[in-house]
Each structure stands twice: as C-alpha cells, then as structure tokens.
Amino acid sequence: MKSCTLVLPDADATERAGAALARALVAGMVVTLAGDLGAGKTTLARGVLRALGWPGPVKSPTYTLVEHYPLSNLYLYHFDFYRFDGADEWDDVGVADCFRDDTLCLVEWPERVAGRLPHPDVAIVLAHAGDGAAGRTLTATATTRAGERCIDALAGATPHAQ
C-alpha cells in the first residue's frame, strides 16, 4: 500500500493536485474523497475535471447526489453522499449501476455508504490545516496498482509531497 501527504496552501494548489491526479486516472477506477465540510473535496474534483478537458461548470453534487460528465474517453461520475442518513439509501437510489469498467467515479462522503461502495483504488482525505493556519492537507492512499500510479502522479507533481 502506497501513500503520500501533500500540503495545499490554497484552492489553486488543491486544483493543481486534482490535475496531477487526473494524469493517472483511467476508466474503472473509484476515488474516494473524505473530509469535513469545506475541506476542498469539490475543488480537488474540479482540478481533475479541468485536466481531463471538462470546460463547463463543476459544482458540488450535494443536492443532486451525482453529477455526470461525459468526457471524450470516459464517463465520469461525481457523487456526494453527504445527505445520506445511512448506507441503506444506496439501494434506494440505484447508483450501483454507475460503477462500471467504463466509468471513473469520484465519491465524496464515502463513509455514508460504507459497505455498499466498491473498493476504492485511491482513498483521499482532505483536512483543514491546524492551529488556524490557511490551507489543507491531502493524504492519499492507494489500494491497487492503478491507485499507486495516482500516488506517483500526485507526489511527482506537487512540491510539498511527503
């Protein structure tokens, strides 16, 4: 299992981390994005989407549950399970069909669907910097070979990697 930690001083750095991650993402992958409200999950997703060529708006799917982005070489689904009260809601909304070999899934609030969500290739945790400092810390952990390539892309493209 490979991991890295990045210090992200601002939203631009978070988007750049998303762009670095995008270089290694391929269809069939699941990336989870955990962290408190305002930790930068959607900002990171925006960086991924911009790097993959999405020209339109990128908004948090908090109220819609999922945003679908048909890109030229894959289908990207951006989920936000914040409003779920429990994993049983997964069965009610029928999102399991979105997790396929031809899709890339970014999942915010994965802990809300624990036990239902397919095993992630990369688990990312974003946290506010401590002691009142600005910025965020991103910790990424790979659980597959494809995920390890994502860790390498993040660590190689970001100057504050550990």
Side-chain angles (χ1 to χ4, degrees), residues 45-122:
R46 183 176 300 111
V48 168
L49 281 154
R50 291 284 179 255
L52 293 175
W54 184 255
V58 177
K59 56 188 175 182
S60 173
T62 299
Y63 293 101
T64 60
L65 177 65
V66 62
E67 291 290 335
H68 175 236
Y69 298 93
L71 300 163
S72 64
N73 58 345
L74 63 90
Y75 297 104
L76 188 146
Y77 291 98
H78 181 196
F79 294 92
D80 185 328
F81 293 115
Y82 176 73
R83 299 216 173 271
F84 272 30
D85 287 326
D88 289 341
E89 289 187 55
W90 170 276
D91 300 326
D92 296 338
V93 298
V95 294
D97 293 341
C98 296
F99 293 83
R100 305 182 312 258
D101 289 341
D102 64 337
T103 66
L104 170 61
C105 296
L106 304 178
V107 181
E108 295 188 30
W109 299 94
E111 63 276 12
R112 304 280 177 127
V113 291
R116 300 292 202 290
L117 186 66
H119 189 74
D121 296 278
V122 181

